[in-house]
Amino acid sequence: MTDSVYNTFSEYLINRYGEKTYKLPIALNPLYIDENGVTRSYTCPNRDGTCGVAGCTFCGEIGTGYENLPAEMSITEQIAANKAHIVPKYKATKFIPYLQNFTNTYMPLDTFRAFLEEAASAEGVVAVYIATRPDCVREDYLQIMRDMAQKYNIEICVELGLQTVNYHTLDKINRGHSLAEFIDAILRVKKYGLQTCAHLILNLPWDTDRDAIEAAHIMSALQLDQVKLHALYIVKGTVMAEQYEKGELELIGRDEYQKRVILFLRHLSPNIVLQRVIGRAPAENTLFSNWSTGWFKIRDGIIRQMEEQGFKQGDCCDYLNGAALRNF
């Protein structure tokens, strides 16, 4: 834990790699040709009928990859293009390719191995982060990740989209998995010595402050390495956008969101790194995003409130290791 009110990703990267290290978003080409010569897509099992057909109610046609370069570009080309922008400006030499969009382990094993090796072997790469679903983590894929980590002497972090620990809400957003799959995936990833990260949306319409606190408890009990928080944004053309326009969703306000994030942070183990406490999405793609406020203003508001009230990440993390035995 640092002197900051919460354990920031930027400080973690400097402490871990000795200098500012940049995470580069990478979009994998989702198209492949099957054994019958038919072109198919492996974007997500919640879209192709494996777990569902409509996808999550909040997810748009391009997933979450707003900052990505075109998936038609190779990983090598995307890394080079990102470096061309970052290196002259920041003099950076260390990078983390982030396989970001959709479900990046939902593909044939050999294809996954080739993609991962291309990312891991690029010059200056110190880690690869892989976003996927909890129900798309399997032993043979994890073995490949561990092999690549050892071969190239890098770290690999598996980022799992959970969004909420409330199984009623998971059903409402058509997530296609429960909390159990997330717990199973985390335990499997840790067994292979890989890093873990969870994505959470703290202001889903059906969730409460208690859900945020319980999410912090579960992340801490599972000893995750990192957490990434998002505020819900309503993407145009989604099921959730239709619900929003019909007035069927009640969203909490900005002040309530900041309060909920603070509750989460106070109950979260101080050892867990926060990649971020608020996300962002382009206005042209959304009906609602961050209360029409800059993400940095919300982040700064959270930090300011915690400083003013003397709060720190983990100052309510007193519930583990047989806490009820404190009198003995």
Side-chain angles (χ1 to χ4, degrees):
M1 187 70 179
T2 68
D3 291 332
S4 302
V5 292
Y6 66 86
N7 202 350
T8 68
F9 191 51
S10 58
E11 290 175 295
Y12 161 76
L13 291 176
I14 289 174
N15 291 334
R16 180 69 185 89
Y17 302 113
E19 62 185 88
K20 200 169 182 66
T21 301
Y22 284 84
K23 199 175 178 187
L24 310 177
I26 302 294
L28 301 185
N29 193 330
L31 301 179
Y32 72 101
I33 299 176
D34 69 11
E35 63 277 6
N36 299 315
V38 178
T39 300
R40 299 190 181 278
S41 171
Y42 42 70
T43 57
C44 179
N46 204 18
R47 289 172 175 258
D48 67 5
T50 303
C51 300
V53 293
C56 302
T57 61
F58 59 79
C59 189
E61 287 302 313
I62 63 170
T64 58
Y66 296 108
E67 299 175 338
N68 288 353
L69 293 167
E72 291 74 24
M73 296 174 65
S74 70
I75 292 175
T76 301
E77 291 169 335
Q78 291 181 61
I79 291 175
N82 276 306
K83 282 184 178 180
H85 171 69
I86 290 172
V87 173
K89 188 173 182 179
Y90 301 106
K91 312 302 180 188
T93 60
K94 294 181 180 178
F95 305 94
I96 299 174
Y98 174 34
L99 311 187
Q100 178 182 16
N101 211 18
F102 293 116
T103 308
N104 290 284
T105 58
Y106 189 62
M107 61 185 70
L109 196 62
D110 289 342
T111 304
F112 175 70
R113 181 187 291 108
F115 278 145
L116 183 54
E117 181 141 33
E118 187 176 358
S121 61
E123 183 179 358
V125 167
V126 293
V128 178
Y129 282 36
I130 303 165
T132 191
R133 287 169 55 92
D135 53 2
C136 290
V137 175
R138 202 173 68 192
E139 300 283 333
D140 45 358
Y141 289 78
L142 291 169
Q143 182 64 58
I144 287 174
M145 293 184 219
R146 183 167 67 181
D147 290 347
M148 290 294 174
Q150 293 172 347
K151 179 177 180 179
Y152 292 101
N153 192 29
I154 62 171
E155 293 180 314
I156 289 182
C157 180
V158 181
E159 299 199 12
L160 297 175
L162 174 60
Q163 316 314 343
T164 176
V165 300
N166 186 320
Y167 63 88
H168 297 294
T169 302
L170 287 170
D171 287 345
K172 288 181 183 296
I173 62 176
N174 195 41
R175 187 65 189 158
H177 65 75
S178 72
L179 179 60
E181 288 91 328
F182 172 79
I183 294 171
D184 174 64
I186 291 295
L187 295 177
R188 290 180 186 278
V189 172
K190 292 177 77 66
K191 185 174 70 173
Y192 280 80
L194 308 172
Q195 292 197 345
T196 54
C197 176
H199 294 199
L200 292 167
I201 302 172
L202 292 189
N203 64 323
L204 284 162
W206 310 275
D207 281 5
T208 65
D209 290 354
R210 185 66 184 85
D211 291 304
I213 292 171
E214 185 65 12
H217 287 190
I218 292 172
M219 302 305 111
S220 301
L222 289 172
Q223 299 181 10
L224 266 73
D225 297 292
Q226 301 174 18
V227 169
K228 182 186 290 185
L229 301 182
H230 308 253
L232 177 67
Y233 43 81
I234 309 292
V235 180
K236 294 177 181 177
T238 62
V239 172
M240 194 170 279
E242 183 178 348
Q243 294 171 326
Y244 180 74
E245 290 179 313
K246 290 180 178 179
E248 297 173 357
L249 302 179
E250 184 175 346
L251 303 181
I252 63 174
R254 170 186 165 184
D255 289 344
E256 291 175 275
Y257 177 77
Q258 291 182 182
K259 171 193 168 190
R260 193 170 290 180
V261 171
I262 292 170
L263 277 173
F264 175 85
L265 292 175
R266 295 188 68 200
H267 286 83
L268 186 70
S269 166
N271 298 320
I272 296 176
V273 174
L274 271 294
Q275 280 203 31
R276 64 186 181 202
V277 295
I278 184 79
R280 59 182 175 178
E284 62 270 19
N285 291 99
T286 58
L287 299 177
F288 172 87
S289 176
N290 294 348
W291 301 273
S292 301
T293 304
W295 65 270
F296 57 93
K297 291 183 179 180
I298 297 173
R299 178 205 60 193
D300 291 351
I302 291 167
I303 294 172
R304 183 171 58 253
Q305 286 183 49
M306 292 183 72
E307 289 175 340
E308 289 173 351
Q309 297 177 68
F311 295 152
K312 282 264 194 176
Q313 178 182 335
D315 61 16
C316 294
C317 186
D318 57 357
Y319 46 84
L320 300 175
N321 192 31
L325 293 170
R326 61 176 61 91
N327 294 325
F328 300 95

